[in-house]
Amino acid sequence: MRGAEGDRTARTGPARAGGNRQRPRAAPLLAAAAAAGVLLVVAGAGSAPGALAAQAGKGAHSARAARTGPTAPTPTQPLTTEFGPPLTIQKIGNLTCYIDARGIPHVKAADGDTPRARQALAFLNSRLTKDGLNYQGNTTRTGYEYVFQDENKRLVEKTTAQHEFTGATADMLKLTWSNGRLLSVDSVDSTGTTDPDKGLDKIDNEINGKLPGGLKNQTENVVYSAANRAQAQRLANHYKGNPNVRVIEPSSGFDSGEFSAGTSAMKKAAGSVFAPPPGDCSGSASQSLNRRGSQESSAGGSSLRQAGFTGRAPCGGEEEEEPATAPGGLAAEMQAPAQAPGGIDFSRLELHYLADPGKGGLRYAFQAPLAAKGNRSALTGLSQAQESSDAFFTWLELDPSSFWVNLNPNEPDRIVDAKLGTTDAGRVLLQADLQLKKTTGKLIHPDSALGARFWKGMSGDCMSFRTWIVPGTATVYAKGDELYILKSPLNVEMETQYLKLHGASGATSCPKQTASVQAHNESLFRSLILPRVVAAVNSAPEYADLRRVYLSRVAAEWYRQLSEKQHTTYGSLIDQGDVGAYRTRQDWAPIDTFHAYVTSYTKGEFKVTHRTRQGNTIYTHTYIYGGVDFTRVAFSSLSADQAAATMPALTAHVSRSLTAPAADTGARQVWLGGGEPAAAPAGGSDGKSGASGKQGKAGRTGTDTTAAGGTAPAGDGTPVRRWALLGAGVVVALLVLRAVVRGRRRAARR
């Protein structure tokens, strides 16, 4: 209060003579307090033990600070070159260029320059299609493709003073895509012979001369077209184990196997899921600008997340560094040959484990079925993992009140939250809502047995209802900083809702139908159709993406709650609202799904007219609309004993998956994990005196809980030294105050 009085005196002018003679002492007292305050800051008062931290953590400000940690540093800029960011498509002049990971542009050609190159490219792409590995440009934007390279219009020579590289004069490029991301650009040169008796030494010299270190040094990979199948087989045996040489004989269909090109990029990308790109930590406007500036590319209007798989640092104040790719089962699976039958259905890859060990990032584990059928491309698995990761950070960045979509023909301006609608999570929710209408239409089709029963029991000639996909109760096992998601069911709820007046017609959905008839029809739908709709949402392949992003929603909700109690690696992202790094790379906008719904609504999923001897039965006026609402998530938490009884090998499978694929043969599942290892405690063996990185989590075995419900941060892991400095600061402040008092007493005596 003395500070407030001093400030008031300064505003009102000097005090009257003889009034309040003690007030001048405020200056030296304030000076001493300021000195002590400076020393407190230097000493790091944030490392107070439990009692003081409990007092400091009672306010909302303190709770927020404990959750988010210190401000993140300004991130390093993603690598760019004179030709643009790596792994993007750039238009340079009138040339379409693919920028490889080294920043080298490769010019795309419309056609090959030799008949052999044309034949080889057609053969390679046809094999990709046959194996289900080809690039799906109109749907998933995932897969491999070969394109021609225009070596006559190259922008750089294959070797210059600034760059030493190969590939500028190769015939073609192999491109690796994952969910719209260009993961790698690898050069491939085509050569071969029509002489079945050509000597192996000559072929060897020809192939090796093209590869790095050879005489020509012109490509990273060589595809060799043999004269006949017998020669192709001999060459394949000779080059067995060489990942950069592929032998083909198109007339017989012989193929020694896909190049390993792209697998290293896939491993690197897999090691960086559940880690935001550099600059994705809140803390400064410059960070946000840097992040947005690094995302734009001309790759078909899609966004670039180049830095998302090139190394990152956690949010919270530590210096940026370029860590090695995190090992793990998921990353290991990415290195398997692209066409090898792995027995894993990657299209059903789902997140079932997440942990925040403290320093360095998150740990994660996915589960996928062991199956002879299904999509067995590891690249598809990587795409699904990245989709889960992007959805997790989307659910953190945005406020949960925005986690809904709505398809109503009268509400084109209320389809989806503006920010959510720019992300893959928003796209998945909207498309699932449209699919819900199609699923319902298929079930109630009058020509099906179920549909016939439904229409026979319906009253009146019109029905209208609203269906919403909503979360069920997720069954989880949470152990400290670890979350195991055992079950995550979705539900479909329904309510009557008539269409509002629209246009000049003034018509509603069922304007002449009584409430009792509508109630009867709804009851019929609930008992006969709705259970099958719920089953489809929870198991049908067309809802796999929805189930995947919902699992990320469950994980994000748990992470939000964890971040309210203690500091977490990415707590600073919560509710920041910046989803620029997670924009969809699909050629899609929310209005596209709305238009598809309007078409379904106006034309109907079916139009059936049955003519019988008893007369005509016409099925018309069936209105199905609604949305998806993920604003709330409910948990049912198991105890350790219950989890062990339910899934006795769960923790063991997850633990093994963090270093290598872990098969659960009993459940016909495989676990694929990765991420950062748990941080070891820096203090004593009791787990309470050490700190884990900047968060000060006491080894995760015995946290020091504050009165506010959080975990007392332990600063930089040196609480004893900090408290010594704090004590020294207090002593100095008292000495200064003592000297001032003695000086004034001596002056009074004089």
Side-chain angles (χ1 to χ4, degrees):
M1 295 303 295
R2 288 186 181 274
E5 291 175 7
D7 185 58
R8 185 163 58 247
T9 301
R11 290 197 304 267
T12 58
R16 290 177 298 174
N20 197 359
R21 295 179 58 88
Q22 299 299 320
R23 182 164 293 171
R25 292 187 179 181
L29 289 174
L30 284 174
V38 169
L39 286 167
L40 284 172
V41 172
V42 173
S47 58
L52 283 180
Q55 295 299 320
K58 290 184 178 179
H61 274 302
S62 298
R64 177 67 178 173
R67 185 180 79 175
T68 60
T71 301
T74 301
T76 55
Q77 288 291 335
L79 173 68
T80 58
T81 70
E82 58 183 306
F83 302 105
L87 300 177
T88 59
I89 303 175
Q90 303 290 329
K91 201 75 173 179
I92 303 176
N94 62 344
L95 302 176
T96 300
C97 299
Y98 294 94
I99 313 298
D100 68 19
R102 303 161 297 177
I104 307 303
H106 298 265
V107 180
K108 182 180 179 180
D111 197 5
D113 57 359
T114 66
R116 177 177 288 127
R118 298 186 191 100
Q119 183 187 47
L121 183 135
F123 180 83
L124 298 181
N125 279 331
S126 68
R127 288 307 300 265
L128 289 174
T129 301
K130 180 180 178 181
D131 294 334
L133 303 174
N134 59 304
Y135 174 58
Q136 304 287 339
N138 295 326
T139 53
T140 64
R141 302 192 73 190
T142 294
Y144 305 93
E145 65 174 330
Y146 289 91
V147 299
F148 289 116
Q149 178 173 226
D150 193 337
E151 59 182 286
N152 296 317
K153 295 180 181 178
R154 57 184 181 270
L155 300 180
V156 295
E157 294 301 322
K158 61 182 179 181
T159 302
T160 68
Q162 291 78 26
H163 304 285
E164 292 186 2
F165 62 91
T166 59
T169 59
D171 291 322
M172 63 187 80
L173 305 169
K174 181 185 179 183
L175 308 177
T176 304
W177 296 90
S178 173
N179 194 24
R181 298 175 176 92
L182 185 58
L183 292 185
S184 68
V185 178
D186 299 281
S187 63
V188 179
D189 201 69
S190 173
T191 188
T193 182
T194 58
D195 180 6
D197 299 319
K198 189 171 184 178
L200 181 59
D201 56 342
K202 292 183 178 180
I203 295 175
D204 230 9
N205 289 336
E206 185 178 359
I207 291 177
N208 291 332
K210 291 175 177 291
L211 293 172
L215 183 63
K216 293 185 177 180
N217 192 39
Q218 73 182 89
T219 188
E220 297 162 300
N221 305 276
V222 171
V223 55
Y224 194 90
S225 298
N228 57 33
R229 188 180 184 88
Q231 183 187 55
Q233 187 63 65
R234 289 196 302 272
L235 292 176
N237 292 336
H238 177 70
Y239 290 106
K240 186 177 182 179
N242 188 328
N244 306 111
V245 178
R246 183 173 180 177
V247 180
I248 64 174
E249 204 281 291
S251 64
S252 66
F254 181 90
D255 185 5
S256 65
E258 187 63 59
F259 296 110
S260 65
T263 56
S264 61
M266 291 167 59
K267 177 184 177 183
K268 192 173 185 180
S272 294
V273 297
F274 285 96
D280 201 28
C281 299
S282 62
S284 70
S286 62
Q287 287 176 327
S288 182
L289 291 172
N290 286 341
R291 189 178 77 175
R292 292 192 183 98
S294 69
Q295 289 153 0
E296 299 300 332
S297 90
S298 57
S302 66
S303 64
L304 165 70
R305 204 174 134 197
Q306 146 69 14
F309 50 84
T310 57
R312 72 286 181 210
C315 306
E318 292 188 347
E319 63 275 5
E320 292 271 343
E321 56 185 24
E322 185 91 10
T325 301
L330 181 64
E333 197 64 35
M334 296 302 106
Q335 291 188 294
Q339 78 283 8
I344 301 174
D345 184 0
F346 284 107
S347 66
R348 296 166 63 188
L349 189 80
E350 294 181 342
L351 176 72
H352 282 276
Y353 170 81
L354 192 73
D356 188 344
K359 183 178 180 180
L362 306 180
R363 295 199 309 265
Y364 53 85
F366 295 91
Q367 196 179 55
L370 290 167
K373 297 181 179 180
N375 191 319
R376 293 183 290 172
S377 168
L379 194 54
T380 296
L382 174 62
S383 175
Q384 314 294 31
Q386 290 172 324
E387 182 178 81
S388 296
S389 174
D390 283 1
F392 173 78
F393 287 110
T394 297
W395 302 134
L396 286 188
E397 288 273 7
L398 298 180
D399 188 276
S401 63
S402 66
F403 299 162
W404 56 267
V405 299
N406 170 63
L407 284 178
N408 187 318
N410 279 358
E411 296 182 302
D413 298 328
R414 204 174 72 88
I415 305 170
V416 62
D417 174 79
K419 289 183 178 180
L420 182 62
T422 66
T423 67
D424 274 321
R427 174 184 60 82
V428 168
L429 263 61
L430 264 177
Q431 291 182 339
D433 188 25
L434 176 60
Q435 181 61 45
L436 184 67
K437 283 51 170 176
K438 295 181 178 295
T439 298
T440 304
K442 183 178 180 180
L443 289 170
I444 66 175
H445 196 291
D447 284 347
S448 69
L450 180 65
R453 288 175 56 198
F454 172 73
W455 287 100
K456 184 177 181 180
M458 196 183 82
S459 298
D461 62 356
C462 176
M463 71 175 299
S464 173
F465 48 80
R466 186 171 192 172
T467 51
W468 285 85
I469 300 176
V470 296
T473 300
T475 303
V476 303
Y477 169 47
K479 182 180 67 172
D481 302 317
E482 297 179 284
L483 175 71
Y484 298 83
I485 306 174
L486 281 67
K487 295 180 181 179
S488 56
L490 291 166
N491 196 14
V492 181
E493 294 180 350
M494 163 186 176
E495 64 177 333
T496 303
Q497 184 185 59
Y498 285 178
L499 290 173
K500 296 180 180 179
L501 294 178
H502 180 64
S505 64
T508 58
S509 54
C510 297
K512 298 180 180 180
Q513 194 138 276
T514 64
S516 61
V517 169
Q518 184 66 28
H520 167 80
N521 291 340
E522 278 199 10
S523 177
L524 182 67
F525 183 88
R526 290 178 187 274
S527 62
L528 202 59
I529 305 299
L530 196 60
R532 292 168 174 81
V533 176
V534 174
V537 168
N538 283 284
S539 61
E542 54 266 31
Y543 294 97
D545 284 346
L546 180 69
R547 296 191 293 269
R548 188 174 299 109
V549 300
Y550 174 58
L551 279 161
S552 294
R553 172 73 179 98
V554 172
E557 184 62 29
W558 164 81
Y559 199 78
R560 283 172 171 270
Q561 295 178 16
L562 181 69
S563 299
E564 290 293 341
K565 295 183 291 184
Q566 63 191 53
H567 170 58
T568 55
T569 305
Y570 299 119
S572 60
L573 300 183
I574 294 175
D575 295 340
Q576 294 302 305
D578 192 350
V579 292
Y582 313 107
R583 289 185 298 226
T584 178
R585 282 159 292 277
Q586 304 288 340
D587 185 16
W588 171 87
I591 197 66
D592 298 334
T593 301
F594 178 78
H595 287 157
Y597 168 63
V598 170
T599 299
S600 171
Y601 170 78
T602 55
K603 295 183 178 180
E605 288 302 317
F606 57 83
K607 288 186 176 180
V608 178
T609 300
H610 285 178
R611 300 183 184 279
T612 66
R613 292 181 180 178
Q614 287 77 26
N616 298 334
T617 303
I618 303 175
Y619 302 92
T620 60
H621 305 310
T622 304
Y623 299 92
I624 308 168
Y625 54 100
V628 180
D629 185 354
F630 282 179
T631 56
R632 292 182 177 87
V633 176
F635 293 104
S636 174
S637 297
L638 300 183
S639 67
D641 291 341
Q642 290 173 324
T646 304
M647 299 183 69
L650 174 65
T651 58
H653 289 316
V654 169
S655 179
R656 291 202 308 272
S657 76
L658 299 178
T659 55
D664 181 356
T665 54
R668 298 291 300 161
Q669 298 280 339
V670 63
W671 287 88
L672 303 171
E676 303 298 335
S685 60
D686 64 354
K688 294 183 180 181
S689 59
S692 173
K694 58 180 170 49
Q695 301 178 78
K697 295 175 182 173
R700 304 298 183 185
T701 58
T703 54
D704 186 2
T705 306
T706 69
T711 301
D716 64 356
T718 55
V720 175
R721 178 174 58 84
R722 285 175 174 252
W723 276 102
L725 289 173
L726 176 60
V730 173
V731 170
V732 170
L734 291 174
L735 290 175
V736 170
L737 181 60
R738 180 183 179 187
V740 169
V741 172
R742 285 184 174 181
R744 289 194 172 275
R745 286 177 178 174
R746 286 195 296 268
R749 292 192 192 103
R750 291 195 295 266

